[in-house]
Amino acid sequence: MRPVLALVGRPNVGKSTLFNRLTRSREALVANIPGLTRDRQYGEGKIEEKSFIAIDTGGISGDEQGIDQEMAAQSLQAIEEANICLFLVDAKDGLLPDDNRILDHLRKRSKNTYLVVNKIDGRDPDAALVDFYSLGMSEIFPITATQGRGVKSMLLKVLNDFEQQLENATDGSAPVDEDDQNRGIKIAIAGRPNVGKSTLVNRMLGEDRVVVFDQPGTTRDSVYVPFERRGRRYTLIDTAGIKKRGQTKETIEKFSVVKSLQAIQDAHVVVLIVDARTGIVEQDLHLLGYVIETGRALVIAINKWDGMHSEDKEQVKTDIRRRFVFVDFAKIHYISALYGTGVGDLYKSIHTAYESATMKLATNRLTELLQDAVTDHAPPMVNGRRIKLRYAHAGGQNPPIIVIHGKQTEKLPANYSRYLEKTFRKVLKLEGTPVRIELRSGDNPFIKGEEDLTQQQIAQKRRIKKNRHLGKKLGKK
């Protein structure tokens, strides 16, 4: 399970700067203006093989009005979504009453909170932290987000604590990997609010397990629902949140971006639902891009297809061909989750995508295909020398990763990599899954010192040197 980190604090304490540092991006706007961040910003981060999701929030103080009140609501929503709250304060300003109010709220919510004192550059760390000991936190992390000072050690401590807490947990509420084989194919139903996710889940399960509202907004928790169909096991991951009838409430909880991202990450196959009535919007493309980035197998379902005029249907199909050109490997279905039209056909595409994503690829087969592709269309010349691609092997599954070894592979153009990807996909019949090509250049062992070589390489190196020396002597004679 990937932890979700919310960055919380007063305006202008450096939350967006730290967010950019954690996600190694510039997604969040940064300026010396309080209140610049208004909406929640989500990003992925990774450090030493530990991945996480970070949420940047707007500043909160407790006395917001107008648009600031909406901004504070976004921040409070992020707190509810997060596993961990990084509570940022400003060493320059010292401890302020607003800091106390924010910490009181975090304690009332029983959130796993860490106190992070930012902007300690140019200050004595001990003196900068004196005011904040009165908050009663067991540990304080001094950092400078602009320079990255103290950020890595703080982040590793937070993530290690989270992993330890998961190991110690005994309530069984979190899904565990040891049951993975018994769950069958894990299918995440993803999409924007009110596109018909819950209706499709009900249709696939054959019962009204999900409360369906004709309004945007769903519960926050993703729930794993195992079921069987025609002797085959599946697990539906409903990003809308599945509840038993006795537990459903009339109030509609807000849609959680984080839970959707986590569900996609944990799935084998993602069924992305698009609303045919509203057409393709930017949020659909962002979600689609995230699915491809995570490498998950993909099936696209265009929902609410029933009752549309033929002209509108043709317009939607034209729009799909134009805007979904980068996912030409994914099967597209036109369905009506409400009436069940086309829903049964999704399973065939799900099976195909899953089998393609988890296919075992033999090294000799991949190398043979690589040589055929190079013969049909040779790599370009670089500085008068041809790029050489020697052999290929599998590097992973879901998505399939094909590792190609050769010389000067770092100079291989992107369009040639796409050519190789399409060739492997076509010949191996990999449908419904992205394919990743990794290029590696073989190291020349003779440019290294002997301490880094094997005995065989050392003997070969000395033999070549000896032959060259003898050749020079004979040449002089």
Side-chain angles (χ1 to χ4, degrees), residues 17-18 46 83 147 177 179 185 221 228 234 247 262 269 291 298 330 365-366 386 397 409 412 422 442:
T17 303
L18 180 58
K46 190 174 185 180
N83 305 112
Q147 302 170 8
D177 293 337
D179 292 339
I185 302 176
D221 290 330
E228 286 192 17
Y234 305 88
Q247 296 176 339
Q262 290 177 323
V269 182
V291 174
L298 175 66
R365 177 62 170 153
L366 293 177
R386 179 77 63 185
Q397 295 179 334
T409 57
L412 194 71
K422 290 182 179 296

Side-chain angles (χ1 to χ4, degrees), residues 317-384:
K317 290 182 177 180
T318 301
D319 200 21
I320 287 172
R321 286 192 294 268
R322 179 175 62 87
R323 306 192 73 178
F324 282 1
V325 66
F326 63 100
V327 285
D328 54 355
F329 58 84
K331 182 71 174 178
I332 298 176
H333 292 264
Y334 300 92
I335 70 168
S336 170
L338 182 62
Y339 298 105
T341 308
V343 172
D345 297 333
L346 291 174
Y347 284 99
K348 182 179 179 181
S349 296
I350 289 170
H351 294 159
T352 301
Y354 175 75
E355 289 164 3
S356 296
T358 57
M359 181 184 295
K360 293 183 179 180
L361 305 174
T363 299
N364 57 353
R365 177 62 170 153
L366 293 177
T367 301
E368 179 185 341
L369 293 178
L370 174 64
Q371 292 171 349
D372 291 343
V374 169
T375 300
D376 292 342
H377 180 40
M381 303 274 287
V382 176
N383 298 328

Side-chain angles (χ1 to χ4, degrees), residues 111-144:
K111 284 297 177 179
N112 193 6
T113 304
Y114 293 83
L115 179 60
V116 181
V117 181
N118 191 24
K119 306 181 186 180
I120 65 165
D121 47 305
R123 289 171 175 75
D124 177 33
D126 294 331
L129 301 181
V130 168
D131 289 348
F132 301 102
Y133 286 116
S134 63
L135 293 174
M137 301 295 289
S138 60
E139 192 170 1
I140 301 177
F141 297 92
I143 69 165
T144 301

Side-chain angles (χ1 to χ4, degrees), residues 438-451:
E438 291 186 3
L439 302 170
R440 297 181 186 174
S441 294
D443 295 327
N444 185 348
F446 306 112
I447 63 174
K448 299 179 181 178
E450 290 189 354
E451 66 275 5

Side-chain angles (χ1 to χ4, degrees), residues 261-330:
L261 301 185
Q262 290 177 323
I264 290 170
Q265 185 75 24
D266 197 32
H268 294 130
V269 182
V270 176
V271 177
L272 181 68
I273 304 181
V274 177
D275 190 336
R277 304 298 174 92
T278 59
I280 302 169
V281 299
E282 289 302 316
Q283 194 173 348
D284 295 323
L285 298 177
H286 286 312
L287 196 53
L288 189 57
Y290 182 80
V291 174
I292 296 173
E293 182 182 335
T294 57
R296 293 298 170 257
L298 175 66
V299 176
I300 299 174
I302 310 299
N303 193 27
K304 305 182 184 180
W305 196 244
D306 52 295
M308 290 183 64
H309 296 295
S310 57
E311 297 85 358
D312 296 332
K313 289 183 177 180
E314 285 303 318
Q315 180 60 44
V316 172
K317 290 182 177 180
T318 301
D319 200 21
I320 287 172
R321 286 192 294 268
R322 179 175 62 87
R323 306 192 73 178
F324 282 1
V325 66
F326 63 100
V327 285
D328 54 355
F329 58 84

